[in-house]
PDB file of all heavy atoms in Angstrom:
ATOM      1  N   THR A  45      -3.867 -15.754  17.863  1.00 92.00           N
ATOM      2  CA  THR A  45      -3.097 -14.535  17.601  1.00 92.00           C
ATOM      3  C   THR A  45      -1.999 -14.804  16.582  1.00 92.00           C
ATOM      4  O   THR A  45      -1.764 -13.972  15.695  1.00 92.00           O
ATOM      5  CB  THR A  45      -2.490 -14.001  18.914  1.00 92.00           C
ATOM      6  OG1 THR A  45      -3.541 -13.782  19.853  1.00 92.00           O
ATOM      7  CG2 THR A  45      -1.739 -12.711  18.685  1.00 92.00           C
ATOM      8  N   ASN A  46      -1.327 -15.937  16.687  1.00 92.00           N
ATOM      9  CA  ASN A  46      -0.265 -16.272  15.733  1.00 92.00           C
ATOM     10  C   ASN A  46      -0.812 -16.442  14.320  1.00 92.00           C
ATOM     11  O   ASN A  46      -0.179 -16.014  13.357  1.00 92.00           O
ATOM     12  CB  ASN A  46       0.470 -17.529  16.171  1.00 92.00           C
ATOM     13  CG  ASN A  46       1.365 -17.284  17.360  1.00 92.00           C
ATOM     14  OD1 ASN A  46       1.737 -16.149  17.647  1.00 92.00           O
ATOM     15  ND2 ASN A  46       1.688 -18.330  18.085  1.00 92.00           N
ATOM     16  N   ILE A  47      -1.976 -17.066  14.192  1.00 90.00           N
ATOM     17  CA  ILE A  47      -2.598 -17.215  12.877  1.00 90.00           C
ATOM     18  C   ILE A  47      -2.939 -15.848  12.302  1.00 90.00           C
ATOM     19  O   ILE A  47      -2.674 -15.557  11.140  1.00 90.00           O
ATOM     20  CB  ILE A  47      -3.850 -18.113  12.961  1.00 90.00           C
ATOM     21  CG1 ILE A  47      -3.452 -19.541  13.297  1.00 90.00           C
ATOM     22  CG2 ILE A  47      -4.649 -18.079  11.662  1.00 90.00           C
ATOM     23  CD1 ILE A  47      -4.620 -20.435  13.638  1.00 90.00           C
ATOM     24  N   LYS A  48      -3.522 -14.991  13.126  1.00 91.00           N
ATOM     25  CA  LYS A  48      -3.903 -13.659  12.664  1.00 91.00           C
ATOM     26  C   LYS A  48      -2.668 -12.833  12.284  1.00 91.00           C
ATOM     27  O   LYS A  48      -2.676 -12.144  11.259  1.00 91.00           O
ATOM     28  CB  LYS A  48      -4.714 -12.928  13.728  1.00 91.00           C
ATOM     29  CG  LYS A  48      -5.331 -11.644  13.207  1.00 91.00           C
ATOM     30  CD  LYS A  48      -6.329 -11.071  14.160  1.00 91.00           C
ATOM     31  CE  LYS A  48      -7.598 -11.826  14.188  1.00 91.00           C
ATOM     32  NZ  LYS A  48      -8.528 -11.532  13.120  1.00 91.00           N
ATOM     33  N   LEU A  49      -1.602 -12.909  13.066  1.00 94.00           N
ATOM     34  CA  LEU A  49      -0.381 -12.175  12.742  1.00 94.00           C
ATOM     35  C   LEU A  49       0.246 -12.659  11.436  1.00 94.00           C
ATOM     36  O   LEU A  49       0.754 -11.854  10.650  1.00 94.00           O
ATOM     37  CB  LEU A  49       0.633 -12.287  13.879  1.00 94.00           C
ATOM     38  CG  LEU A  49       0.343 -11.441  15.103  1.00 94.00           C
ATOM     39  CD1 LEU A  49       1.358 -11.749  16.197  1.00 94.00           C
ATOM     40  CD2 LEU A  49       0.365  -9.972  14.760  1.00 94.00           C
ATOM     41  N   PHE A  50       0.193 -13.957  11.182  1.00 94.00           N
ATOM     42  CA  PHE A  50       0.718 -14.486   9.932  1.00 94.00           C
ATOM     43  C   PHE A  50      -0.043 -13.910   8.743  1.00 94.00           C
ATOM     44  O   PHE A  50       0.558 -13.476   7.765  1.00 94.00           O
ATOM     45  CB  PHE A  50       0.638 -16.018   9.925  1.00 94.00           C
ATOM     46  CG  PHE A  50       1.011 -16.617   8.602  1.00 94.00           C
ATOM     47  CD1 PHE A  50       2.329 -16.671   8.208  1.00 94.00           C
ATOM     48  CD2 PHE A  50       0.033 -17.101   7.748  1.00 94.00           C
ATOM     49  CE1 PHE A  50       2.688 -17.211   6.983  1.00 94.00           C
ATOM     50  CE2 PHE A  50       0.370 -17.642   6.516  1.00 94.00           C
ATOM     51  CZ  PHE A  50       1.704 -17.703   6.141  1.00 94.00           C
ATOM     52  N   PHE A  51      -1.356 -13.871   8.830  1.00 93.00           N
ATOM     53  CA  PHE A  51      -2.135 -13.370   7.709  1.00 93.00           C
ATOM     54  C   PHE A  51      -2.076 -11.846   7.599  1.00 93.00           C
ATOM     55  O   PHE A  51      -2.241 -11.300   6.510  1.00 93.00           O
ATOM     56  CB  PHE A  51      -3.570 -13.877   7.766  1.00 93.00           C
ATOM     57  CG  PHE A  51      -3.679 -15.296   7.288  1.00 93.00           C
ATOM     58  CD1 PHE A  51      -3.771 -16.341   8.186  1.00 93.00           C
ATOM     59  CD2 PHE A  51      -3.646 -15.586   5.944  1.00 93.00           C
ATOM     60  CE1 PHE A  51      -3.849 -17.643   7.750  1.00 93.00           C
ATOM     61  CE2 PHE A  51      -3.719 -16.887   5.491  1.00 93.00           C
ATOM     62  CZ  PHE A  51      -3.819 -17.912   6.399  1.00 93.00           C
ATOM     63  N   ILE A  52      -1.812 -11.160   8.696  1.00 93.00           N
ATOM     64  CA  ILE A  52      -1.556  -9.713   8.612  1.00 93.00           C
ATOM     65  C   ILE A  52      -0.252  -9.474   7.860  1.00 93.00           C
ATOM     66  O   ILE A  52      -0.161  -8.572   7.021  1.00 93.00           O
ATOM     67  CB  ILE A  52      -1.523  -9.078  10.016  1.00 93.00           C
ATOM     68  CG1 ILE A  52      -2.938  -9.027  10.588  1.00 93.00           C
ATOM     69  CG2 ILE A  52      -0.911  -7.686   9.991  1.00 93.00           C
ATOM     70  CD1 ILE A  52      -3.008  -8.586  12.027  1.00 93.00           C
ATOM     71  N   LEU A  53       0.751 -10.293   8.119  1.00 95.00           N
ATOM     72  CA  LEU A  53       2.016 -10.196   7.385  1.00 95.00           C
ATOM     73  C   LEU A  53       1.802 -10.468   5.895  1.00 95.00           C
ATOM     74  O   LEU A  53       2.322  -9.733   5.049  1.00 95.00           O
ATOM     75  CB  LEU A  53       3.033 -11.178   7.964  1.00 95.00           C
ATOM     76  CG  LEU A  53       4.388 -11.234   7.283  1.00 95.00           C
ATOM     77  CD1 LEU A  53       5.133  -9.930   7.525  1.00 95.00           C
ATOM     78  CD2 LEU A  53       5.179 -12.410   7.790  1.00 95.00           C
ATOM     79  N   VAL A  54       1.010 -11.475   5.572  1.00 93.00           N
ATOM     80  CA  VAL A  54       0.700 -11.785   4.174  1.00 93.00           C
ATOM     81  C   VAL A  54      -0.022 -10.603   3.529  1.00 93.00           C
ATOM     82  O   VAL A  54       0.274 -10.219   2.396  1.00 93.00           O
ATOM     83  CB  VAL A  54      -0.144 -13.080   4.086  1.00 93.00           C
ATOM     84  CG1 VAL A  54      -0.759 -13.257   2.711  1.00 93.00           C
ATOM     85  CG2 VAL A  54       0.695 -14.290   4.451  1.00 93.00           C
ATOM     86  N   PHE A  55      -0.962  -9.998   4.256  1.00 95.00           N
ATOM     87  CA  PHE A  55      -1.694  -8.846   3.744  1.00 95.00           C
ATOM     88  C   PHE A  55      -0.756  -7.684   3.455  1.00 95.00           C
ATOM     89  O   PHE A  55      -0.833  -7.045   2.405  1.00 95.00           O
ATOM     90  CB  PHE A  55      -2.770  -8.418   4.751  1.00 95.00           C
ATOM     91  CG  PHE A  55      -3.447  -7.137   4.400  1.00 95.00           C
ATOM     92  CD1 PHE A  55      -4.434  -7.105   3.435  1.00 95.00           C
ATOM     93  CD2 PHE A  55      -3.099  -5.959   5.037  1.00 95.00           C
ATOM     94  CE1 PHE A  55      -5.067  -5.920   3.103  1.00 95.00           C
ATOM     95  CE2 PHE A  55      -3.722  -4.774   4.718  1.00 95.00           C
ATOM     96  CZ  PHE A  55      -4.709  -4.755   3.744  1.00 95.00           C
ATOM     97  N   PHE A  56       0.155  -7.388   4.376  1.00 95.00           N
ATOM     98  CA  PHE A  56       1.059  -6.260   4.177  1.00 95.00           C
ATOM     99  C   PHE A  56       2.056  -6.494   3.049  1.00 95.00           C
ATOM    100  O   PHE A  56       2.480  -5.546   2.399  1.00 95.00           O
ATOM    101  CB  PHE A  56       1.781  -5.889   5.474  1.00 95.00           C
ATOM    102  CG  PHE A  56       0.957  -4.983   6.336  1.00 95.00           C
ATOM    103  CD1 PHE A  56       0.543  -5.379   7.586  1.00 95.00           C
ATOM    104  CD2 PHE A  56       0.580  -3.738   5.890  1.00 95.00           C
ATOM    105  CE1 PHE A  56      -0.227  -4.560   8.368  1.00 95.00           C
ATOM    106  CE2 PHE A  56      -0.187  -2.889   6.667  1.00 95.00           C
ATOM    107  CZ  PHE A  56      -0.593  -3.304   7.912  1.00 95.00           C
ATOM    108  N   ILE A  57       2.438  -7.726   2.804  1.00 94.00           N
ATOM    109  CA  ILE A  57       3.307  -8.010   1.666  1.00 94.00           C
ATOM    110  C   ILE A  57       2.595  -7.640   0.369  1.00 94.00           C
ATOM    111  O   ILE A  57       3.155  -6.972  -0.496  1.00 94.00           O
ATOM    112  CB  ILE A  57       3.749  -9.492   1.670  1.00 94.00           C
ATOM    113  CG1 ILE A  57       4.734  -9.743   2.798  1.00 94.00           C
ATOM    114  CG2 ILE A  57       4.361  -9.888   0.332  1.00 94.00           C
ATOM    115  CD1 ILE A  57       5.048 -11.206   3.026  1.00 94.00           C
ATOM    116  N   GLY A  58       1.346  -8.057   0.247  1.00 94.00           N
ATOM    117  CA  GLY A  58       0.560  -7.692  -0.933  1.00 94.00           C
ATOM    118  C   GLY A  58       0.308  -6.195  -1.020  1.00 94.00           C
ATOM    119  O   GLY A  58       0.368  -5.600  -2.101  1.00 94.00           O
ATOM    120  N   PHE A  59       0.047  -5.570   0.120  1.00 95.00           N
ATOM    121  CA  PHE A  59      -0.221  -4.131   0.149  1.00 95.00           C
ATOM    122  C   PHE A  59       1.001  -3.331  -0.283  1.00 95.00           C
ATOM    123  O   PHE A  59       0.894  -2.385  -1.071  1.00 95.00           O
ATOM    124  CB  PHE A  59      -0.657  -3.716   1.559  1.00 95.00           C
ATOM    125  CG  PHE A  59      -0.918  -2.255   1.699  1.00 95.00           C
ATOM    126  CD1 PHE A  59      -2.082  -1.698   1.189  1.00 95.00           C
ATOM    127  CD2 PHE A  59      -0.004  -1.434   2.338  1.00 95.00           C
ATOM    128  CE1 PHE A  59      -2.332  -0.347   1.314  1.00 95.00           C
ATOM    129  CE2 PHE A  59      -0.241  -0.086   2.463  1.00 95.00           C
ATOM    130  CZ  PHE A  59      -1.414   0.467   1.952  1.00 95.00           C
ATOM    131  N   ILE A  60       2.171  -3.704   0.209  1.00 95.00           N
ATOM    132  CA  ILE A  60       3.398  -2.988  -0.148  1.00 95.00           C
ATOM    133  C   ILE A  60       3.705  -3.170  -1.634  1.00 95.00           C
ATOM    134  O   ILE A  60       4.153  -2.226  -2.298  1.00 95.00           O
ATOM    135  CB  ILE A  60       4.567  -3.463   0.746  1.00 95.00           C
ATOM    136  CG1 ILE A  60       4.355  -2.937   2.168  1.00 95.00           C
ATOM    137  CG2 ILE A  60       5.914  -3.003   0.202  1.00 95.00           C
ATOM    138  CD1 ILE A  60       5.293  -3.512   3.190  1.00 95.00           C
ATOM    139  N   TYR A  61       3.456  -4.351  -2.174  1.00 94.00           N
ATOM    140  CA  TYR A  61       3.671  -4.568  -3.602  1.00 94.00           C
ATOM    141  C   TYR A  61       2.785  -3.628  -4.426  1.00 94.00           C
ATOM    142  O   TYR A  61       3.260  -2.961  -5.340  1.00 94.00           O
ATOM    143  CB  TYR A  61       3.383  -6.024  -3.977  1.00 94.00           C
ATOM    144  CG  TYR A  61       3.428  -6.249  -5.462  1.00 94.00           C
ATOM    145  CD1 TYR A  61       4.641  -6.332  -6.123  1.00 94.00           C
ATOM    146  CD2 TYR A  61       2.257  -6.349  -6.208  1.00 94.00           C
ATOM    147  CE1 TYR A  61       4.694  -6.520  -7.496  1.00 94.00           C
ATOM    148  CE2 TYR A  61       2.301  -6.533  -7.572  1.00 94.00           C
ATOM    149  CZ  TYR A  61       3.513  -6.620  -8.215  1.00 94.00           C
ATOM    150  OH  TYR A  61       3.554  -6.791  -9.561  1.00 94.00           O
ATOM    151  N   PHE A  62       1.493  -3.576  -4.099  1.00 94.00           N
ATOM    152  CA  PHE A  62       0.592  -2.728  -4.880  1.00 94.00           C
ATOM    153  C   PHE A  62       0.842  -1.246  -4.627  1.00 94.00           C
ATOM    154  O   PHE A  62       0.605  -0.420  -5.504  1.00 94.00           O
ATOM    155  CB  PHE A  62      -0.864  -3.092  -4.613  1.00 94.00           C
ATOM    156  CG  PHE A  62      -1.291  -4.318  -5.363  1.00 94.00           C
ATOM    157  CD1 PHE A  62      -1.572  -5.490  -4.702  1.00 94.00           C
ATOM    158  CD2 PHE A  62      -1.373  -4.302  -6.740  1.00 94.00           C
ATOM    159  CE1 PHE A  62      -1.947  -6.619  -5.397  1.00 94.00           C
ATOM    160  CE2 PHE A  62      -1.743  -5.429  -7.452  1.00 94.00           C
ATOM    161  CZ  PHE A  62      -2.026  -6.591  -6.770  1.00 94.00           C
ATOM    162  N   LEU A  63       1.340  -0.884  -3.465  1.00 94.00           N
ATOM    163  CA  LEU A  63       1.729   0.501  -3.218  1.00 94.00           C
ATOM    164  C   LEU A  63       2.909   0.881  -4.103  1.00 94.00           C
ATOM    165  O   LEU A  63       2.935   1.973  -4.681  1.00 94.00           O
ATOM    166  CB  LEU A  63       2.087   0.697  -1.738  1.00 94.00           C
ATOM    167  CG  LEU A  63       2.403   2.108  -1.298  1.00 94.00           C
ATOM    168  CD1 LEU A  63       1.159   2.988  -1.445  1.00 94.00           C
ATOM    169  CD2 LEU A  63       2.880   2.109   0.134  1.00 94.00           C
ATOM    170  N   GLY A  64       3.871  -0.014  -4.250  1.00 91.00           N
ATOM    171  CA  GLY A  64       4.995   0.232  -5.160  1.00 91.00           C
ATOM    172  C   GLY A  64       4.545   0.345  -6.604  1.00 91.00           C
ATOM    173  O   GLY A  64       5.032   1.194  -7.356  1.00 91.00           O
ATOM    174  N   GLN A  65       3.597  -0.488  -7.007  1.00 92.00           N
ATOM    175  CA  GLN A  65       3.056  -0.398  -8.358  1.00 92.00           C
ATOM    176  C   GLN A  65       2.350   0.934  -8.570  1.00 92.00           C
ATOM    177  O   GLN A  65       2.462   1.548  -9.628  1.00 92.00           O
ATOM    178  CB  GLN A  65       2.075  -1.549  -8.617  1.00 92.00           C
ATOM    179  CG  GLN A  65       2.725  -2.899  -8.662  1.00 92.00           C
ATOM    180  CD  GLN A  65       3.678  -3.025  -9.831  1.00 92.00           C
ATOM    181  OE1 GLN A  65       3.356  -2.660 -10.946  1.00 92.00           O
ATOM    182  NE2 GLN A  65       4.864  -3.529  -9.565  1.00 92.00           N
ATOM    183  N   PHE A  66       1.619   1.389  -7.558  1.00 94.00           N
ATOM    184  CA  PHE A  66       0.924   2.671  -7.639  1.00 94.00           C
ATOM    185  C   PHE A  66       1.906   3.824  -7.796  1.00 94.00           C
ATOM    186  O   PHE A  66       1.696   4.736  -8.605  1.00 94.00           O
ATOM    187  CB  PHE A  66       0.057   2.876  -6.389  1.00 94.00           C
ATOM    188  CG  PHE A  66      -0.587   4.218  -6.310  1.00 94.00           C
ATOM    189  CD1 PHE A  66      -1.681   4.515  -7.100  1.00 94.00           C
ATOM    190  CD2 PHE A  66      -0.095   5.189  -5.446  1.00 94.00           C
ATOM    191  CE1 PHE A  66      -2.287   5.764  -7.035  1.00 94.00           C
ATOM    192  CE2 PHE A  66      -0.685   6.428  -5.377  1.00 94.00           C
ATOM    193  CZ  PHE A  66      -1.785   6.717  -6.169  1.00 94.00           C
ATOM    194  N   VAL A  67       2.996   3.785  -7.054  1.00 90.00           N
ATOM    195  CA  VAL A  67       4.009   4.845  -7.151  1.00 90.00           C
ATOM    196  C   VAL A  67       4.622   4.859  -8.540  1.00 90.00           C
ATOM    197  O   VAL A  67       4.836   5.929  -9.131  1.00 90.00           O
ATOM    198  CB  VAL A  67       5.091   4.657  -6.061  1.00 90.00           C
ATOM    199  CG1 VAL A  67       6.301   5.533  -6.314  1.00 90.00           C
ATOM    200  CG2 VAL A  67       4.507   4.948  -4.692  1.00 90.00           C
ATOM    201  N   GLN A  68       4.899   3.697  -9.100  1.00 89.00           N
ATOM    202  CA  GLN A  68       5.466   3.644 -10.449  1.00 89.00           C
ATOM    203  C   GLN A  68       4.502   4.202 -11.486  1.00 89.00           C
ATOM    204  O   GLN A  68       4.906   4.950 -12.388  1.00 89.00           O
ATOM    205  CB  GLN A  68       5.830   2.205 -10.807  1.00 89.00           C
ATOM    206  CG  GLN A  68       7.036   1.692 -10.074  1.00 89.00           C
ATOM    207  CD  GLN A  68       7.339   0.253 -10.435  1.00 89.00           C
ATOM    208  OE1 GLN A  68       6.614  -0.377 -11.200  1.00 89.00           O
ATOM    209  NE2 GLN A  68       8.427  -0.269  -9.879  1.00 89.00           N
ATOM    210  N   VAL A  69       3.224   3.876 -11.375  1.00 92.00           N
ATOM    211  CA  VAL A  69       2.237   4.378 -12.331  1.00 92.00           C
ATOM    212  C   VAL A  69       2.089   5.889 -12.221  1.00 92.00           C
ATOM    213  O   VAL A  69       2.040   6.602 -13.232  1.00 92.00           O
ATOM    214  CB  VAL A  69       0.876   3.670 -12.122  1.00 92.00           C
ATOM    215  CG1 VAL A  69      -0.239   4.367 -12.877  1.00 92.00           C
ATOM    216  CG2 VAL A  69       0.970   2.213 -12.541  1.00 92.00           C
ATOM    217  N   MET A  70       2.033   6.394 -10.995  1.00 91.00           N
ATOM    218  CA  MET A  70       1.887   7.839 -10.807  1.00 91.00           C
ATOM    219  C   MET A  70       3.132   8.585 -11.274  1.00 91.00           C
ATOM    220  O   MET A  70       3.039   9.690 -11.815  1.00 91.00           O
ATOM    221  CB  MET A  70       1.579   8.166  -9.340  1.00 91.00           C
ATOM    222  CG  MET A  70       0.235   7.648  -8.875  1.00 91.00           C
ATOM    223  SD  MET A  70      -1.138   8.173  -9.900  1.00 91.00           S
ATOM    224  CE  MET A  70      -1.279   9.858  -9.449  1.00 91.00           C
ATOM    225  N   ALA A  71       4.310   7.998 -11.090  1.00 88.00           N
ATOM    226  CA  ALA A  71       5.537   8.630 -11.557  1.00 88.00           C
ATOM    227  C   ALA A  71       5.557   8.703 -13.080  1.00 88.00           C
ATOM    228  O   ALA A  71       5.961   9.723 -13.658  1.00 88.00           O
ATOM    229  CB  ALA A  71       6.751   7.864 -11.046  1.00 88.00           C
ATOM    230  N   ARG A  72       5.115   7.642 -13.729  1.00 90.00           N
ATOM    231  CA  ARG A  72       5.030   7.679 -15.193  1.00 90.00           C
ATOM    232  C   ARG A  72       3.990   8.687 -15.664  1.00 90.00           C
ATOM    233  O   ARG A  72       4.187   9.367 -16.666  1.00 90.00           O
ATOM    234  CB  ARG A  72       4.687   6.291 -15.745  1.00 90.00           C
ATOM    235  CG  ARG A  72       5.890   5.419 -15.877  1.00 90.00           C
ATOM    236  CD  ARG A  72       5.547   4.146 -16.637  1.00 90.00           C
ATOM    237  NE  ARG A  72       6.023   3.043 -15.818  1.00 90.00           N
ATOM    238  CZ  ARG A  72       5.289   2.035 -15.388  1.00 90.00           C
ATOM    239  NH1 ARG A  72       4.033   1.934 -15.711  1.00 90.00           N
ATOM    240  NH2 ARG A  72       5.820   1.092 -14.641  1.00 90.00           N
ATOM    241  N   LEU A  73       2.897   8.788 -14.950  1.00 94.00           N
ATOM    242  CA  LEU A  73       1.819   9.704 -15.324  1.00 94.00           C
ATOM    243  C   LEU A  73       2.278  11.157 -15.258  1.00 94.00           C
ATOM    244  O   LEU A  73       1.960  11.960 -16.133  1.00 94.00           O
ATOM    245  CB  LEU A  73       0.605   9.497 -14.415  1.00 94.00           C
ATOM    246  CG  LEU A  73      -0.618  10.358 -14.689  1.00 94.00           C
ATOM    247  CD1 LEU A  73      -1.238   9.952 -16.019  1.00 94.00           C
ATOM    248  CD2 LEU A  73      -1.625  10.212 -13.571  1.00 94.00           C
ATOM    249  N   PHE A  74       3.040  11.502 -14.239  1.00 89.00           N
ATOM    250  CA  PHE A  74       3.513  12.875 -14.066  1.00 89.00           C
ATOM    251  C   PHE A  74       4.937  13.094 -14.580  1.00 89.00           C
ATOM    252  O   PHE A  74       5.563  14.103 -14.271  1.00 89.00           O
ATOM    253  CB  PHE A  74       3.418  13.281 -12.597  1.00 89.00           C
ATOM    254  CG  PHE A  74       2.008  13.386 -12.101  1.00 89.00           C
ATOM    255  CD1 PHE A  74       1.525  12.511 -11.149  1.00 89.00           C
ATOM    256  CD2 PHE A  74       1.163  14.357 -12.600  1.00 89.00           C
ATOM    257  CE1 PHE A  74       0.226  12.602 -10.693  1.00 89.00           C
ATOM    258  CE2 PHE A  74      -0.139  14.467 -12.159  1.00 89.00           C
ATOM    259  CZ  PHE A  74      -0.616  13.582 -11.203  1.00 89.00           C
ATOM    260  N   ASP A  75       5.479  12.151 -15.317  1.00 86.00           N
ATOM    261  CA  ASP A  75       6.822  12.225 -15.900  1.00 86.00           C
ATOM    262  C   ASP A  75       7.900  12.504 -14.854  1.00 86.00           C
ATOM    263  O   ASP A  75       8.773  13.346 -15.029  1.00 86.00           O
ATOM    264  CB  ASP A  75       6.886  13.296 -16.999  1.00 86.00           C
ATOM    265  CG  ASP A  75       6.039  12.918 -18.197  1.00 86.00           C
ATOM    266  OD1 ASP A  75       5.947  11.710 -18.479  1.00 86.00           O
ATOM    267  OD2 ASP A  75       5.478  13.830 -18.831  1.00 86.00           O
ATOM    268  N   ILE A  76       7.858  11.794 -13.768  1.00 81.00           N
ATOM    269  CA  ILE A  76       8.861  11.906 -12.712  1.00 81.00           C
ATOM    270  C   ILE A  76       9.808  10.720 -12.856  1.00 81.00           C
ATOM    271  O   ILE A  76       9.384   9.566 -12.780  1.00 81.00           O
ATOM    272  CB  ILE A  76       8.216  11.893 -11.313  1.00 81.00           C
ATOM    273  CG1 ILE A  76       7.263  13.072 -11.166  1.00 81.00           C
ATOM    274  CG2 ILE A  76       9.292  11.925 -10.234  1.00 81.00           C
ATOM    275  CD1 ILE A  76       6.443  13.019  -9.899  1.00 81.00           C
TER     276      ILE A  76
END
């Protein structure tokens, strides 16, 4: 369980980064 939780944390760090990148791209696309 500890190994799985560690890699879930690693996954969410990457996911949040790419979600932020997506928001920036969409904001530029719609001039927000």
Side-chain angles (χ1 to χ4, degrees):
T45 303
N46 287 340
I47 293 170
K48 190 169 286 279
L49 284 175
F50 173 75
F51 282 101
I52 288 173
L53 178 68
V54 166
F55 172 79
F56 276 117
I57 289 170
F59 178 76
I60 289 170
Y61 173 77
F62 281 111
L63 185 65
Q65 293 295 314
F66 174 76
V67 167
Q68 288 179 357
V69 168
M70 294 306 287
R72 277 189 232 124
L73 181 68
F74 293 113
D75 293 327
I76 299 172

